[in-house]
Amino acid sequence: MKRIYMDHGATTPMREEVLEAMLPFLGEKYGNPSSLHFFGRESLKALDVAREKTASCLGCAPEEILFTSGGTEANNLAIIGVAKGSPPGKNHIITSAVEHHAVLDTVKFLGKSGYDITILPVDEYGMVSPQQVEDAITEQTILVSIMTANNEVGTIMPFEEIGGVCREKGVYFHTDAVQAIGHIHFNLQSQPIDFLSLSAHKFYGPKGVGVLYQRRKTKLEQICYGGGQERKLRPGTENMPGIVGLGKAIELAVANMPANREKLLRLRDQLIPGLLRIGDVRLNGHPEKRLPGNINVSVLFVEGESLLLHLDLKGIALSSGSACTAGSLDPSHVLLAMGLDHQTAQGSLRFTLGRDNTPEDIDYTLEAVRETAHNLRAMSPIYRK
Ligand SMILES: *Cc1c(COP(=O)(O)O)cnc(C)c1O
């Protein structure tokens, strides 16, 4: 059976060029970059190159790049690290209700450990306004963490404006940009962002490696103890194959951004109208300010999980709500925060398109969704047409 992968928000297949760049570091180039001998120097050189590539793609200095084990760790390090490094009396952290759990649960953990936290509500599109952030900042605020683009519905936040408000108020701004890399251009030298998280496996790189960008002169306390790697902020022997793969993947993602965007927009503009034509389907997220490849819809009178499983049988891979909450039937916290009722939220499907998808894939998918929704609705006691 032909398999169609439309779950690039959960993870992406690694590019051939990335695998090729990594292979020597899974084989003959096994030196520890902390070692002084030939083997160590060889790895250290590759580590430096990956750091330089990453910095140049983000428009920052190599010293501002910290390699981590992924987006989750980068978010934890930024939030807990800033909280622990804050002066006495400064204990207020602001985030939003639609963040990834790697941010939301970290902030909630700090809330239970004596920090004062504010979780901002969002509008019907999943957006936080700069004014909301400004109004929430107090004398005690140390950090605002608002994602660049939402992983479930694709909404792009006004992150530069929010960062501007934070800068004006002398508050650190962290943004989870895991979904944004390869879709949104960053030039961190000129953007008011103090901390930014990214993860290689969301842009055709390997799993288990990410970056926390830390602006020079910001204060971050270590949350893990041991060696002196990554300026002591991420101790432990470096994941060399992963880091080399990340460097290659971000270089390709940034270079291919315009072409990839064009391609995704064409596919999206085929998929969205087709889905809406099925009837009783609503598009979730912002109508314009959204990631090109992310399409989240609620198929009314149908359960998202059932739809997902039936589509899987037809070879189509996607997710209902967030992959991270799949397995539980709790409706997505993002859709609920946007004001959807439980039933509409539970009927949600997320298509996240990628570079290998074709117009034929979209046609096949539309026909499959139409047929499956029709069959499931025919069995539904709540569906009256
Ligand atoms: C995938 C994702 C993460 C987690 O990244 P990992 O590298 O899988 O830990 C965090 N935030 C967002 C927005 C994501 O999409």
Side-chain angles (χ1 to χ4, degrees):
M1 177 169 49
K2 179 173 161 61
R3 297 255 171 210
I4 298 175
Y5 187 78
M6 292 192 179
D7 203 14
H8 295 80
T11 196
T12 54
M14 223 165 62
R15 291 178 69 134
E16 195 65 41
E17 302 97 308
V18 172
L19 177 63
E20 269 164 32
M22 289 169 71
L23 279 175
F25 295 89
L26 291 159
E28 73 274 15
K29 299 190 188 213
Y30 53 82
N32 185 325
S34 298
S35 300
L36 297 177
H37 47 64
F38 169 82
F39 296 91
R41 290 198 309 273
E42 188 176 51
S43 285
L44 184 61
K45 176 87 188 96
L47 183 61
D48 288 344
V49 169
R51 200 184 302 280
E52 279 155 23
K53 276 185 186 172
T54 308
S56 120
C57 288
L58 297 175
C60 66
E63 304 79 57
E64 295 175 305
I65 298 295
L66 295 166
F67 290 114
T68 68
S69 67
T72 300
E73 190 193 335
N75 287 339
N76 273 261
L77 177 55
I79 295 165
I80 303 174
V82 166
K84 280 181 49 175
S86 63
K90 289 265 199 181
N91 68 342
H92 180 223
I93 298 165
I94 299 169
T95 190
S96 85
V98 296
E99 299 297 313
H100 189 277
H101 281 115
V103 165
L104 210 44
D105 290 358
T106 305
V107 171
K108 285 180 183 168
F109 157 73
L110 290 174
K112 278 190 246 149
S113 320
Y115 288 85
D116 189 12
I117 64 170
T118 298
I119 299 175
L120 295 173
V122 295
D123 67 12
E124 59 183 311
Y125 303 124
M127 193 98 91
V128 170
S129 73
Q131 189 62 51
Q132 272 177 287
V133 174
E134 187 167 350
D135 293 345
I137 291 177
T138 69
E139 287 295 314
Q140 283 71 47
T141 310
I142 44 171
L143 177 70
V144 171
S145 179
I146 304 285
M147 67 204 318
T148 314
N150 188 272
N151 48 305
E152 292 194 37
V153 296
T155 297
I156 299 172
M157 294 282 192
F159 62 96
E160 289 184 278
E161 290 84 347
I162 291 172
V165 166
C166 294
R167 171 106 358 136
E168 217 167 86
K169 299 268 183 180
V171 172
Y172 285 154
F173 177 53
H174 166 250
T175 191
D176 175 346
V178 171
Q179 291 287 331
I181 301 297
H183 302 295
I184 291 172
H185 179 72
F186 289 99
N187 182 13
L188 293 171
Q189 218 157 39
S190 59
Q191 286 168 317
I193 296 170
D194 299 304
F195 298 93
L196 175 143
S197 306
L198 61 83
S199 176
H201 77 100
K202 301 291 176 77
F203 51 87
Y204 306 97
K207 292 167 184 62
V209 61
V211 161
L212 177 65
Y213 155 79
Q214 180 196 3
R215 180 175 292 282
R216 216 179 269 138
K217 291 185 185 148
T218 52
K219 193 158 162 31
L220 192 65
E221 190 70 33
Q222 68 192 111
I223 64 170
C224 208
Y225 297 82
Q229 294 92 343
E230 302 300 291
R231 292 187 283 114
K232 273 189 167 169
L233 287 163
R234 208 294 174 159
T237 302
E238 296 85 348
N239 168 7
M240 285 305 303
I243 290 168
V244 168
L246 184 150
K248 188 74 195 170
I250 196 166
E251 191 176 43
L252 291 168
V254 169
N256 292 327
M257 187 149 42
N260 195 39
R261 181 181 170 78
E262 279 307 302
K263 181 186 169 137
L264 293 179
L265 287 177
R266 265 200 304 277
L267 294 174
R268 172 188 86 178
D269 292 342
Q270 181 186 355
L271 183 60
I272 293 178
L275 287 170
L276 297 180
R277 272 199 296 274
I278 292 172
D280 288 319
V281 172
R282 59 160 282 175
L283 180 68
N284 298 317
H286 198 280
E288 286 120 37
K289 294 186 177 110
R290 57 188 305 133
L291 293 172
N294 182 308
I295 298 99
N296 187 307
V297 292
S298 286
V299 182
L300 306 186
F301 313 110
V302 174
E303 215 165 59
E305 305 281 318
S306 315
L307 206 42
L308 180 152
L309 294 173
H310 280 89
L311 291 168
D312 184 43
L313 292 175
K314 298 183 183 202
I316 301 166
L318 29 81
S319 55
S320 64
S322 171
C324 310
T325 51
S328 72
L329 271 175
D330 291 339
S332 138
H333 70 286
V334 173
L335 296 176
L336 294 184
M338 287 162 58
L340 268 70
D341 60 61
H342 277 236
Q343 213 180 316
T344 309
Q346 253 158 1
S348 87
L349 271 190
R350 180 186 74 170
F351 303 78
T352 38
L353 308 177
R355 53 192 296 272
D356 295 328
N357 292 139
T358 65
E360 293 71 37
D361 290 350
I362 304 285
D363 283 338
Y364 177 80
T365 301
L366 281 171
E367 188 44 44
V369 177
R370 191 188 345 264
E371 191 188 319
T372 312
H374 177 84
N375 292 343
L376 289 174
R377 280 172 176 170
M379 293 187 289
S380 165
I382 48 167
Y383 184 62
R384 304 258 179 280
K385 191 77 210 222

